[in-house]
Amino acid sequence: MDKFISFLKDSWEEFQHNVTWPKFSELQASSTLVLVASLVFALVVGLIDFLFENALNAFYQSF
């Protein structure tokens, strides 16, 4: 139990003195980048899905 309490104390001290938090503007920029990248990725995957679906439908209907 002493090791666990020591771990908690050390973790709290690390949290108070050594953790650096990003500025709000940095968080906004990172969030915007993630949002844009996610939308682009979703559009690319959706386009590939659309193309494969149409290609397979055309292939299957040819028989």
Side-chain angles (χ1 to χ4, degrees):
M1 188 68 175
D2 290 335
K3 287 184 179 182
F4 181 68
I5 292 172
S6 176
F7 170 76
L8 290 177
K9 286 180 181 178
D10 291 342
S11 297
W12 183 251
E13 187 173 329
E14 178 91 15
F15 179 75
Q16 285 182 324
H17 300 292
N18 297 334
V19 173
T20 56
W21 299 100
K23 295 179 180 159
F24 186 70
S25 60
E26 293 173 351
L27 289 174
Q28 283 181 320
S30 297
S31 298
T32 303
L33 178 64
V34 168
L35 178 65
V36 169
S38 298
L39 289 173
V40 168
F41 184 73
L43 288 173
V44 168
V45 170
L47 178 65
I48 291 171
D49 180 55
F50 177 77
L51 292 174
F52 272 108
E53 180 183 4
N54 287 330
L56 288 174
N57 283 339
F59 176 74
Y60 290 139
Q61 287 177 1
S62 68
F63 292 107

